[in-house]
Amino acid sequence: SVLKFKKMKKNFVSNSSDSIRMFKSGFLESLSKVSFYVPLIVYIPVIIYLVWSALYAEQMDSLKFIGYIILGLMVWTLTEYILHRFVFHFYPKSEWGKKIHFIFHGVHHDYPNDAKRLVMPPSASIPMALAFYYLFLYLLPLGTNNAFFIGFITGYLIYDMTHYALHHANFKNGVWKKLKQHHMLHHYSDSTKGFGVISDFWDKILGSNFLKK
């Protein structure tokens, strides 16, 4: 039955740290894998440019600059939650849809120890970042988008680095241990809960947090 298939699918988790092959094409396969530090190389120069653009080219007020960075960071946390819950965990019925879901997120749940598929590859993150940049350019007051996007992109980098660390670091700090437990419960206990990666804030607000005994 479909229910049986979904249950089996949910419960399959490989303990292997090997990367499974997803594409016949070597080029497409290479685009699907990325080392954890690559997003830093790609986006830190972008953040530096946005800082220069907001403070020097646009002469933005310092308090306004900081305020929009904080706003961008906050909006990222909600964006991260919405993408993870409603996009990455949307299960299509068509065969093509299932393949696309597996490529984008299913592979990570089936092979959570694959270090090459823990951060978003630039082939996916750059088009997504451009789409968000122009969306916010349209929505936000004139001259505020660059400062806002510094916070948004910084939030994304914190998300990617945190996600990698939660899978590969052994924490002694209580806050980090709690965050790791939250994410591991999402992987190994119930993937319909615990969508926040850098925080469980939106899980608590929107009713998808794990019940604490």
Side-chain angles (χ1 to χ4, degrees):
S1 68
V2 175
L3 285 175
K4 186 178 179 182
F5 169 78
K6 286 182 77 173
K7 186 177 180 183
M8 287 173 64
K9 187 70 174 172
K10 190 187 97 171
N11 289 342
F12 172 76
V13 181
S14 170
N15 290 320
S16 171
S17 59
D18 295 336
S19 272
I20 65 147
R21 191 172 183 94
M22 291 201 299
F23 300 98
K24 290 180 181 178
S25 163
F27 175 69
L28 290 176
E29 182 68 11
S30 68
L31 291 179
S32 76
K33 296 179 183 180
V34 63
S35 296
F36 77 94
Y37 54 81
V38 169
L40 298 173
I41 295 170
V42 172
Y43 289 105
I44 285 177
V46 173
I47 290 171
I48 292 169
Y49 170 77
L50 291 173
V51 170
W52 173 85
S53 183
L55 288 178
Y56 295 98
E58 297 172 355
Q59 297 288 305
M60 194 176 193
D61 176 78
S62 296
L63 282 177
K64 193 176 178 182
F65 175 74
I66 293 168
Y68 270 97
I69 288 176
I70 293 169
L71 178 63
L73 192 55
M74 290 170 63
V75 170
W76 165 260
T77 65
L78 180 58
T79 303
E80 170 203 315
Y81 177 88
I82 290 170
L83 284 174
H84 192 184
R85 180 173 183 176
F86 298 108
V87 179
F88 296 161
H89 279 273
F90 173 73
Y91 297 100
K93 293 181 180 178
S94 70
E95 287 304 312
W96 270 103
K98 288 175 184 176
K99 287 177 182 177
I100 291 169
H101 170 264
F102 183 77
I103 290 166
F104 271 92
H105 198 63
V107 66
H108 171 56
H109 270 268
D110 287 1
Y111 299 88
N113 296 319
D114 183 348
K116 294 290 186 182
R117 292 195 172 105
L118 278 174
V119 301
M120 193 177 292
S123 55
S125 71
I126 290 173
M128 194 177 290
L130 286 170
F132 275 119
Y133 181 84
Y134 285 105
L135 172 66
F136 295 133
L137 188 64
Y138 175 75
L139 294 174
L140 292 169
L142 191 66
T144 62
N145 190 45
N146 285 342
F148 174 89
F149 214 64
I150 291 165
F152 192 79
I153 287 291
T154 300
Y156 161 68
L157 289 179
I158 293 170
Y159 157 79
D160 256 356
M161 297 307 107
T162 299
H163 189 215
Y164 184 85
L166 292 179
H167 281 274
H168 286 280
N170 292 315
F171 300 108
K172 294 181 180 179
N173 178 280
V175 174
W176 280 102
K177 284 173 77 173
K178 185 181 175 184
L179 197 59
K180 179 162 184 166
Q181 181 192 32
H182 179 77
H183 191 59
M184 292 304 109
L185 283 171
H186 171 74
H187 271 280
Y188 295 99
S189 178
D190 188 353
S191 64
T192 66
K193 293 179 181 176
F195 298 101
V197 172
I198 64 176
S199 167
D200 63 357
F201 175 79
W202 291 110
D203 285 305
K204 290 176 179 176
I205 298 295
L206 298 174
S208 56
N209 205 28
F210 298 102
L211 294 174
K212 300 290 189 287
K213 294 182 179 180

